[in-house]
Amino acid sequence: MRNLTFRFMMLCTALVAGPGLQAQNLRPVEIIDHAKFAQSFEESYPLFSLEKNSTKVAELDAVGADYEVFNLDLNSMTNLRKSEPALLELDLPGVGKVALAKASIFADGFRVTESGSSTYTKAPLGLHYRGIVDGDKSSLVAISVFEGEVSGLIATDDGNFVLGRLTDKNGDTHILYNDKD
């Protein structure tokens, strides 16, 4: 639970404080436009595949919410984490292509100190990206990549889509749902 809370706090930091920590305070659409002008996107990673026998989520089914359940490709995940591209495109089921630029959300010397202790923990900080849904300049996307998990928020005119891992026996099943449902 502490690990999940820590990851959620890091994602929130990426969304709220991330732009303020940069030397240039650019909106994600400006970052992506600048990146497309300066260079092409380095790589596209096929991280997700739709699940054939879709896992049912009782809480979402009970309220009639629309959601997508898909599997994480662990090989693509490993390749992404090793290469740490500055720019990338992801194809998210239910959303489409998202154009992302790597975000540095931590200040120099950032460290995690546990409450009641003077020692700090070396926690994996993950990769963090921000950007837009391809073709939707008013959208906002924040994606965080950790070992075995991708989490994020995609904000469009249709609502705020939440991306996260479902707890299951494999640990590679992810869900994308609109929080307005």
Side-chain angles (χ1 to χ4, degrees):
M1 185 66 172
R2 282 166 85 188
N3 196 17
L4 180 61
T5 303
F6 176 72
R7 289 181 182 182
F8 180 73
M9 288 174 35
M10 289 191 341
L11 178 62
C12 289
T13 302
L15 286 172
V16 177
L21 296 175
Q22 301 298 315
Q24 296 179 0
N25 192 7
L26 300 175
R27 296 182 350 209
V29 68
E30 293 168 341
I31 293 168
I32 298 303
D33 284 346
H34 178 73
K36 284 183 177 181
F37 179 76
Q39 66 191 51
S40 64
F41 281 80
E42 294 177 17
E43 294 188 46
S44 180
Y45 290 85
L47 289 181
F48 303 108
S49 60
L50 283 174
E51 194 173 89
K52 290 182 181 158
N53 296 324
S54 185
T55 302
K56 298 294 181 189
V57 181
E59 293 86 1
L60 295 175
D61 285 339
V63 295
D66 191 24
Y67 60 90
E68 296 284 344
V69 176
F70 38 90
N71 292 322
L72 179 65
D73 182 326
L74 296 177
N75 289 331
S76 285
M77 164 68 79
T78 300
N79 292 337
L80 171 63
R81 293 187 72 231
K82 282 181 184 176
S83 65
E84 298 185 20
L87 302 170
L88 79 119
E89 285 185 334
L90 291 178
D91 194 8
L92 294 176
V95 173
K97 285 199 184 295
V98 294
L100 301 165
K102 192 171 182 185
S104 177
I105 65 170
F106 301 106
D108 291 337
F110 173 83
R111 61 186 188 181
V112 177
T113 304
E114 292 185 24
S115 177
S117 171
S118 61
T119 61
Y120 69 93
T121 305
K122 277 261 198 203
L125 302 178
L127 298 174
H128 306 279
Y129 292 90
R130 61 183 171 186
I132 60 171
V133 174
D134 213 22
D136 183 357
K137 292 188 180 257
S138 67
S139 63
L140 174 68
V141 178
I143 301 285
S144 294
V145 180
F146 300 95
E147 186 174 343
E149 179 178 2
V150 178
S151 59
L153 178 71
I154 300 96
T156 69
D157 290 338
D158 295 327
N160 298 320
F161 295 86
V162 179
L163 170 64
R165 183 176 68 186
L166 288 175
T167 51
D168 65 351
K169 61 183 177 203
N170 298 330
D172 62 349
T173 305
H174 283 64
I175 187 168
L176 181 77
Y177 65 93
N178 192 333
D179 71 358
K180 75 176 181 182
D181 293 335

